[in-house]
């Protein structure tokens, strides 16, 4: 079975969040299970692209509206990524240093999707399944079936995977002329509330869709930025498959990015060494419980509550907790955190920006990881944390609810709260502090956490089972 994963992020080529981690791991695990899984993504002006060898495998061109666009497809088949990778370059659109943040992302992702279809059509590439990831490639299921140029590809099955339903790729109908010419009477399959909505189009036109956890699938019918009724309507082809973690990259026993490797047998001393070195590096005392936040400064992540949590906690003259924050995004959130940092340092340390190595060090060094998400399709941070013996303190939503069991329950190994409020986070932090004072109990949950199996093997097989269902 040949599968193409189509995505605009893939670790280690270009990563902004969990989408990259999934697309950088899932195909590798699928290949181990005998599936010919490949990744196609845009060409980015990134260090990885310049420091590795790529060869040109195809060239072509097409009109996007009145503009003629040329594309080049590069392959990196002999990579050590564990799967063949193809990059599509379109000068002016798919040749930029960052994945997101340009004013013309609709045009960018349209160019990507059109170039991809043009390439596979003209080079006789016929995957059995195209697994599209998120709204950037959400028009593929529609374009395969409803365009003059690509009807020959209509038999290819599509699985659309939703990593984040908050972003839908809305574009004004005046951009409709940029699409390859389509059956105009089918416009309704593109439209949602008067705009072209790639996510809604994908849900309607794909053969099946999946979310990255069961919990999130259930939540989308209640909260999906206007698409709730669509998710109710199309539920018959919905599947929830929880993400895994790539143990080649996220394993404290052999992670080259952390100071001291450890296993569940040596976790106590291993984490202590990592914590001491890390705290010295970021300027924190190392004799308190270390709680860490890693992630995008975004509303859905609940990052806007962090500054209030800090003010509330430290204004009570509490001094048995240190907090490390690693993230970037909303400038207002960053400013508020900066103010708290100036007031409470050295109890708090922050790093504004994206730093993969620092994230690994922080997972290894921290005692607790905080995820106060409003919405969490799966969440990878808690899965990485668990593997590193770092206890998750999370809001019980989406994938967090599916993967973290509170210590008050049988087999629990984390701290879960439900209300999105400073009080609720504060009392849960205090619960974690009290628990950590009982050294034996803490060491039991640490070991329990590390023994959990969130590797990709099981979930990669579930994707394959789903492809097989589509091909029946
Ligand atoms: P999302 O994809 O919604 O941002 P996930 O929890 O699924 O959230 O994935 C986040 C991924 O991005 C994790 O691998 C996390 O370690 C990483 N990450 C997020 N922010 C940063 C940062 N500032 N520096 C390093 N890694 C980060």
């Amino acid at each position: 079975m040949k599968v193409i994963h189509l995505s605009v992020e893939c670790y280690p080529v270009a990563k902004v969040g969990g989408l990259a981690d999934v697309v950088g791991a899932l195909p590798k695990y699928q290949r181990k299970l005998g599936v010919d899984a490949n990744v196609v993504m845009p060409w980015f002006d990134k260090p990885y692209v310049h420091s590795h060898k790529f060869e040109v495998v195809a060239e072509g061109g097409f009109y996007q509206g009145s503009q003629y666009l040329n594309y080049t497809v590069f392959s990196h088949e002999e990579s050590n990524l564990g799967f063949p990778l193809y990059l599509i370059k379109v000068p002016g659109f798919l040749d930029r240093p960052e994945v997101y943040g340009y004013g013309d992302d609709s045009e960018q992702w349209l160019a990507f999707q059109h170039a991809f279809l043009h390439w596979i059509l003209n080079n006789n590439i016929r995957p059995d399944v195209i697994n599209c990831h998120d709204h950037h490639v959400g028009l593929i299921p529609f374009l395969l079936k409803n365009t003059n140029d690509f009807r020959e590809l209509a038999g290819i099955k599509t699985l659309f995977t939703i990593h984040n339903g908050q972003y839908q790729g809305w574009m004004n109908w005046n951009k409709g002329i940029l699409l390859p010419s389509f059956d105009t009477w089918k416009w309704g399959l593109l439209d949602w509330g008067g705009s072209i909505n790639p996510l809604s189009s994908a849900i309607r036109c794909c053969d099946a869709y999946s979310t990255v956890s069961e919990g999130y699938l259930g939540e989308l019918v209640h909260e999906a930025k206007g698409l709730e009724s669509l998710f109710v309507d199309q539920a018959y082809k919905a599947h929830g498959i929880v993400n895994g973690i790539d143990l080649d990259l996220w394993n404290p026993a052999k992670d080259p990015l952390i100071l001291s490797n450890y296993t569940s047998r040596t976790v106590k001393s291993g984490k202590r060494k990592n914590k001491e070195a890390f705290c010295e590096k970021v300027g924190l005392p190392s004799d308190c419980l270390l709680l860490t936040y890693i992630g995008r400064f975004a509303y859905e992540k609940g990052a806007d509550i962090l500054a209030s949590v800090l003010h509330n906690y430290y204004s009570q003259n509490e001094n048995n907790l240190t907090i490390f924050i690693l993230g970037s995004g909303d400038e207002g959130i960053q400013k508020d955190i900066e103010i708290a940092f100036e007031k409470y340092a050295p109890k708090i340390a922050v790093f504004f920006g994206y730093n993969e190595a620092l994230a690994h060090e922080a997972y290894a060094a921290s005692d607790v990881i905080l995820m106060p998400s409003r919405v969490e399709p799966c969440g990878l941070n808690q899965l990485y944390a668990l593997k590193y013996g770092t206890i998750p303190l999370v809001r019980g939503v989406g994938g967090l609810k599916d993967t973290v069991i509170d210590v008050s329950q049988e087999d629990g190994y984390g701290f879960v709260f439900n209300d999105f409020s400073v009080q609720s986070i504060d009392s849960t932090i205090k619960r974690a502090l009290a628990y950590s004072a009982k050294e034996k109990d803490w060491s039991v949950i640490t070991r329990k956490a590390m023994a959990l199996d969130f590797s990709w093997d099981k979930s990669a097989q579930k994707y394959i089972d789903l492809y097989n269902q589509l091909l029946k």
Side-chain angles (χ1 to χ4, degrees):
M1 185 197 312
K2 184 182 177 79
V3 176
I4 292 183
H5 289 274
L6 202 57
S7 166
V8 303
E9 292 186 40
C10 175
Y11 182 82
V13 188
K15 168 169 167 176
V16 177
L19 170 62
D21 288 353
V22 173
V23 178
L26 173 59
K28 180 167 75 176
Y29 284 79
Q30 289 181 331
R31 289 185 83 82
K32 287 185 196 161
L33 295 167
V35 168
D36 176 11
N38 303 267
V39 173
V40 179
M41 68 183 295
W43 189 97
F44 290 108
D45 190 6
K46 292 274 187 199
Y48 185 93
V49 175
H50 295 296
S51 58
H52 291 81
K53 239 179 109 197
F54 287 87
E55 55 175 314
V56 174
V57 289
E59 285 175 309
F62 56 89
Y63 276 99
Q64 180 153 294
S66 57
Q67 193 179 8
Y68 191 78
L69 299 180
N70 289 298
Y71 69 86
T72 309
V73 184
F74 296 89
S75 106
H76 184 19
E77 284 193 60
E78 298 308 317
S79 74
N80 54 6
L81 298 175
F83 51 84
L85 170 72
Y86 298 90
L87 307 179
I88 302 183
K89 186 172 191 174
V90 175
F93 285 120
L94 309 179
D95 60 352
R96 300 169 173 176
E98 301 304 329
V99 181
Y100 308 115
Y102 302 94
D104 58 356
D105 39 353
S106 298
E107 286 84 347
Q108 236 184 315
W109 309 139
L110 278 173
F112 178 48
Q113 294 172 89
H114 197 157
F116 168 70
L117 292 176
H118 194 278
W119 166 47
I120 63 168
L121 178 78
N122 293 298
N123 291 272
N124 208 24
I125 298 166
R126 297 291 184 271
D128 298 292
V129 178
I130 302 177
N131 193 157
C132 302
H133 296 270
D134 269 354
H135 74 84
H136 325 97
V137 290
L139 294 175
I140 293 287
F142 174 85
L143 296 174
L144 282 175
K145 294 192 176 94
N146 303 295
T147 50
N148 297 331
D149 291 352
F150 302 118
R151 223 177 296 276
E152 203 180 311
L153 304 172
I156 300 174
K157 299 294 179 192
T158 50
L159 172 67
F160 182 74
T161 301
I162 304 168
H163 297 258
N164 195 332
Q166 301 290 300
Y167 303 98
Q168 302 179 356
W170 307 271
M171 62 182 102
N172 195 295
W173 263 108
N174 63 17
K175 299 204 171 149
I177 52 158
L178 302 178
L179 270 68
S181 88
F182 60 92
D183 305 333
T184 43
W185 67 94
K186 297 278 183 64
W187 69 275
L189 290 171
L190 294 168
D191 185 83
W192 193 264
S195 303
I196 297 178
N197 183 316
L199 184 75
S200 78
S201 173
I203 301 306
R204 276 175 286 181
C205 300
C206 66
D207 295 296
Y209 65 91
S210 62
T211 55
V212 287
S213 70
E214 291 266 3
Y216 187 52
L217 186 59
E219 287 170 8
L220 281 174
V221 300
H222 302 295
E223 167 52 50
K225 289 230 156 155
L227 300 188
E228 297 79 5
S229 60
L230 180 68
F231 282 110
V232 172
D233 199 44
Q234 301 285 309
Y236 69 95
K237 57 177 177 180
H239 304 262
I241 305 178
V242 71
N243 284 338
I245 62 175
D246 186 348
L247 292 176
D248 293 338
L249 300 172
W250 296 97
N251 182 352
K254 56 180 187 181
D255 186 342
L257 298 173
I258 65 175
L259 180 86
S260 177
N261 292 117
Y262 58 93
T263 62
S264 61
R265 212 172 35 80
T266 56
V267 55
K268 199 169 169 202
S269 61
K271 279 189 83 70
R272 197 185 49 241
K273 280 187 210 149
N274 282 293
K275 184 172 174 179
E276 279 167 5
F278 181 77
C279 287
E280 194 176 332
K281 177 171 176 172
V282 300
L284 288 172
S286 63
D287 55 353
C288 304
L289 192 83
L290 173 58
L291 177 136
T292 288
Y293 173 92
I294 300 174
R296 294 182 290 117
F297 292 157
Y299 181 80
E300 78 222 45
K301 295 280 174 199
D304 51 304
I305 208 168
L306 290 173
S308 309
V309 169
L310 298 173
H311 288 297
N312 177 64
Y313 188 81
Y314 291 111
S315 64
Q316 301 169 55
N317 287 326
E318 298 278 3
N319 57 9
N320 43 3
L321 180 79
T322 48
I323 297 183
F324 175 67
I325 296 175
L326 165 61
S328 60
D330 184 280
E331 281 176 18
I333 295 178
Q334 177 164 327
K335 186 84 217 141
D336 291 345
I337 292 173
E338 218 170 334
I339 292 169
F341 165 70
E342 274 155 23
K343 200 160 171 197
Y344 306 115
K347 286 288 179 194
I348 307 177
V350 294
F351 181 94
F352 296 131
Y354 187 90
N355 189 322
E356 188 78 19
L358 198 57
H360 282 249
E361 289 175 53
Y363 286 116
S366 305
D367 299 297
V368 177
I369 196 108
L370 170 64
M371 298 179 75
S373 306
R374 283 191 178 80
V375 181
E376 195 58 83
C378 176
L380 287 169
N381 294 6
Q382 83 281 13
L383 303 184
Y384 297 145
L386 288 164
K387 188 72 204 160
Y388 284 69
T390 303
I391 302 303
L393 193 159
V394 305
R395 180 149 180 264
V397 287
L400 297 174
K401 194 169 63 189
D402 290 2
T403 55
V404 182
I405 302 175
D406 192 272
V407 290
S408 60
Q409 294 180 37
E410 209 186 322
D411 290 334
Y413 46 80
F415 297 91
V416 182
F417 60 94
N418 291 312
D419 286 353
F420 185 80
S421 67
V422 171
Q423 288 67 30
S424 160
I425 297 175
D426 190 66
S427 62
T428 314
I429 290 177
K430 288 180 182 144
R431 203 149 65 81
L433 272 163
Y435 208 93
S436 71
K438 298 176 280 181
E439 244 184 74
K440 234 179 162 178
D441 291 353
W442 193 262
S443 118
V444 168
I445 58 168
T446 303
R447 291 207 164 89
K448 221 185 257 178
M450 291 183 80
L452 294 167
D453 178 10
F454 284 111
S455 78
W456 262 113
D457 299 306
K458 269 189 280 175
S459 296
Q461 184 59 52
K462 286 190 180 158
Y463 274 89
I464 296 171
D465 294 344
L466 185 47
Y467 303 151
N468 277 321
Q469 266 183 42
L470 301 183
L471 292 169
K472 260 189 204 152

